[in-house]
Amino acid sequence: MKKGSNNLRLYAEEKKAVILFLCLFNLLFYVWDVYYYYIRLYIGGSVEVSRGGLGLSLYFLMLLPLFLAVYQLKKGKIFLIKYQYLTAFLMIDIIDNLIRYIGTNHHFATGNIVEVLCILFAPIFVNKKYFWFTAVGIIGKYILMGLILQDINVVFPILLYLILSGIALTVLVRFYSYIHSLTDVYEELKKKEKLAVIGQMAAAIGHEIRNPLAALKGFTQFQQENYPNTNNYFPIMIEEIDRINSIVDDLMYIGKPKKIKFEKASIEEIIAYTLSITQQQAERQGVTVETIIAGPLPPLDCEEKQLKQVFINLIKNAIESMPEGGRIQIQVKVIEKHHKLLISIKDEGVGIANENILNLGEPFFTTKKDGTGLGLMVTNQIINDHQGEIKIESVLKEGTKVNVILPIIHKS
Ligand code: ADP
Ligand code: MG
């Protein structure tokens, strides 16, 4: 529905532009021609009333494309009108000129006011294709006339129209850039708004799920203790409840920056902990992990629990990208004169398609059958809260490298 209404708006804008163009064109065309060829000569005392060429039939001929345009406006087929009208005008004009000059020794009269209008007003359609169509069509007409009539006089209008085209193109490019920046701002706002709404909903639902889940987990543990050895489903039930819990935790993050309680922690320990958590999954999938830590690392200002979450997400993604097994390389080093820490996680997995790169970190964006699409969103959020940066480079079918850069000392 939205799309339809957007199209309607575009349609209305194009219609306005077409009507404006047709009115101005015809006004100038008839008023100018009548003044130039008839009134002027009459006032000047000349007896010549014929303009030569197609003469009066020119005006009747020019009514044809106008009728066609009005008919199409009524029918609602408006996007081709400008092209058709200009093409018809140029063709009629060429014929008019040929009749007027071929076989005579008259010099080619330069420039036509409606052509100036066409070029200068081309930007009102905010359409680069149409602009080039106009500029090439009109300048091309003069080149053609010059060649046929072997008349050097065409050089003046060609130069004039080149300059005018330059001006019109500049205006058009400004229009485009202005419109682009407006749409960028609009998209950004829309995204923020969407995130805020999803965030509120997710937080409300998450909150409601938490309490019954805590009860469920408590009772399951209670049952397990009361009836040990009765069945081996209890650990699976508890594990699954924990999984729901961690999804709920992730949901609570959407669109909501958190206040971090910064404390000093060791990045080596955080990574080691993360690896212990993900080890089982890695082994199951035949993934080996290699860690390269450059030198002794300074303690890092962070909220340890959250950074653990970040690296669990990233390492899990790396493991999941290699269903046939492979190698993960984790490198940690100090950069930027001991101000920042770079942690890079490189896998040899399936990689990320170009069209998906922009979606990374959007809530619920996932390409996995049972993915939630919350991992990178939470990761981004936590790293933002730590005033850090995350950069993802990926080559399809070769692998992905995620660089996380964190300031070592937090300045509040
Ligand atoms: P989930 O893991 O639940 O799908 P994430 O937010 O963690 O959600 O990841 C979103 C998507 O980004 C994944 O579904 C996957 O397509 C892509 N992705 C993330 N990390 C990697 C990686 N290391 N290799 C390939 N694709 C990745
Ligand atoms: Mg994930």
Side-chain angles (χ1 to χ4, degrees):
M1 188 186 132
K2 200 124 195 212
K3 201 157 180 218
S5 74
N6 284 345
N7 281 346
L8 270 183
R9 284 225 184 115
L10 274 184
Y11 180 88
E13 287 303 321
E14 175 83 8
K15 194 168 173 181
K16 274 188 226 162
V18 168
I19 293 174
L20 180 66
F21 170 73
L22 288 177
C23 289
L24 281 176
F25 185 99
N26 281 283
L27 190 74
L28 272 182
F29 180 73
Y30 290 105
V31 170
W32 176 258
D33 238 49
V34 169
Y35 166 75
Y36 192 85
Y37 290 108
Y38 303 101
I39 300 179
R40 203 172 55 115
L41 296 176
Y42 186 70
I43 294 172
S46 166
V47 285
E48 188 184 347
V49 278
S50 165
R51 70 186 290 288
L54 285 167
L56 287 178
S57 27
L58 171 78
Y59 305 120
F60 293 111
L61 268 179
M62 278 304 290
L63 286 177
L64 293 180
L66 183 62
F67 286 148
L68 179 68
V70 173
Y71 174 75
Q72 277 173 312
L73 266 176
K74 285 235 149 57
K75 277 266 169 187
K77 290 183 191 150
I78 61 169
F79 287 92
L80 284 180
I81 295 179
K82 51 186 183 291
Y83 294 105
Q84 289 168 349
Y85 195 79
L86 195 72
T87 311
F89 164 67
L90 287 176
M91 276 165 44
I92 294 171
D93 195 50
I94 287 174
I95 295 170
D96 181 49
N97 278 314
L98 289 180
I99 296 177
R100 197 144 37 135
Y101 295 109
I102 274 188
T104 70
N105 51 5
H106 286 173
H107 270 300
F108 189 65
T110 53
N112 182 333
I113 190 92
V114 284
E115 290 164 350
V116 174
L117 172 92
C118 287
I119 291 183
L120 281 184
F121 272 59
I124 66 169
F125 290 100
V126 201
N127 180 332
K128 282 194 179 145
K129 203 168 92 191
Y130 173 71
F131 166 78
W132 288 115
F133 183 81
T134 311
V136 171
I138 292 175
I139 294 171
K141 186 197 90 175
Y142 282 94
I143 295 176
L144 185 74
M145 296 312 296
L147 290 177
I148 295 178
L149 302 174
Q150 298 288 311
D151 192 335
I152 195 74
N153 273 3
V154 295
V155 170
F156 172 72
I158 289 176
L159 282 180
L160 175 75
Y161 291 146
L162 277 176
I163 294 170
L164 291 183
S165 301
I167 295 172
L169 183 62
T170 316
V171 172
L172 185 62
V173 169
R174 289 300 314 136
F175 274 4
Y176 263 89
S177 124
Y178 189 62
I179 290 170
H180 277 167
S181 62
L182 275 183
T183 41
D184 282 353
V185 170
Y186 174 73
E187 289 295 323
E188 185 91 343
L189 268 179
K190 217 168 64 178
K191 204 164 142 188
K192 275 210 178 119
E193 211 168 77
K194 193 172 111 194
L195 265 186
V197 173
I198 298 177
Q200 280 168 5
M201 242 178 76
I205 296 172
H207 196 77
E208 291 303 315
I209 292 178
R210 267 229 174 114
N211 293 335
L213 215 52
L216 200 58
K217 186 173 173 182
F219 288 129
T220 313
Q221 278 167 337
F222 181 70
Q223 288 289 77
Q224 186 182 23
E225 280 156 24
N226 280 351
Y227 305 98
N229 312 324
T230 47
N231 69 48
N232 47 14
Y233 293 128
F234 287 128
I236 298 175
M237 286 164 76
I238 293 172
E239 208 175 284
E240 291 298 301
I241 293 174
D242 283 341
R243 207 158 75 97
I244 302 177
N245 251 326
S246 79
I247 294 174
V248 170
D249 281 345
D250 286 352
L251 280 174
M252 310 288 262
Y253 252 101
I254 300 179
K256 225 171 34 185
K258 265 204 177 146
K259 192 103 190 85
I260 305 276
K261 254 180 68 198
F262 284 94
E263 275 169 21
K264 297 237 176 283
S266 145
I267 190 76
E268 288 105 318
E269 277 174 24
I270 293 177
I271 302 262
Y273 172 83
T274 313
L275 291 178
S276 72
I277 296 279
T278 50
Q279 192 181 11
Q280 257 195 351
Q281 192 188 356
E283 276 170 13
R284 257 202 318 267
Q285 264 175 247
V287 171
T288 55
V289 182
E290 181 191 355
T291 318
I292 305 167
I293 293 183
L297 298 172
L300 175 73
D301 276 345
C302 65
E303 194 166 320
E304 196 176 327
K305 203 170 137 224
Q306 295 203 339
L307 280 197
K308 284 177 179 165
Q309 186 65 51
V310 164
F311 294 112
I312 290 174
N313 287 343
L314 295 179
I315 291 170
K316 274 193 163 180
N317 279 349
I319 297 173
E320 285 159 12
S321 78
M322 299 186 284
E324 317 278 301
R327 195 172 59 136
I328 297 177
Q329 228 182 25
I330 303 176
Q331 276 196 43
V332 189
K333 62 180 173 194
V334 175
I335 55 167
E336 290 186 26
K337 295 191 187 137
H338 302 281
H339 287 321
K340 290 185 177 174
L341 211 53
L342 167 72
I343 305 108
S344 79
I345 298 162
K346 194 168 148 237
D347 64 55
E348 302 169 339
V350 291
I352 303 167
N354 268 343
E355 69 260 29
N356 288 340
I357 289 271
L358 285 178
N359 294 322
L360 296 179
E362 291 262 335
F364 311 115
F365 170 76
T366 180
T367 55
K368 295 170 194 166
K369 204 164 75 260
D370 49 6
T372 60
L374 291 172
L376 281 183
M377 187 269 309
V378 170
T379 301
N380 278 344
Q381 192 82 262
I382 295 177
I383 290 172
N384 266 343
D385 293 344
H386 281 78
Q387 284 141 26
E389 279 174 81
I390 178 165
K391 290 179 189 151
I392 301 180
E393 296 159 17
S394 187
V395 179
L396 211 54
K397 295 196 184 125
E398 282 185 19
T400 304
K401 185 173 170 188
V402 181
N403 283 337
V404 175
I405 298 168
L406 293 166
I408 292 173
I409 294 180
H410 168 70
K411 296 184 209 83
S412 46

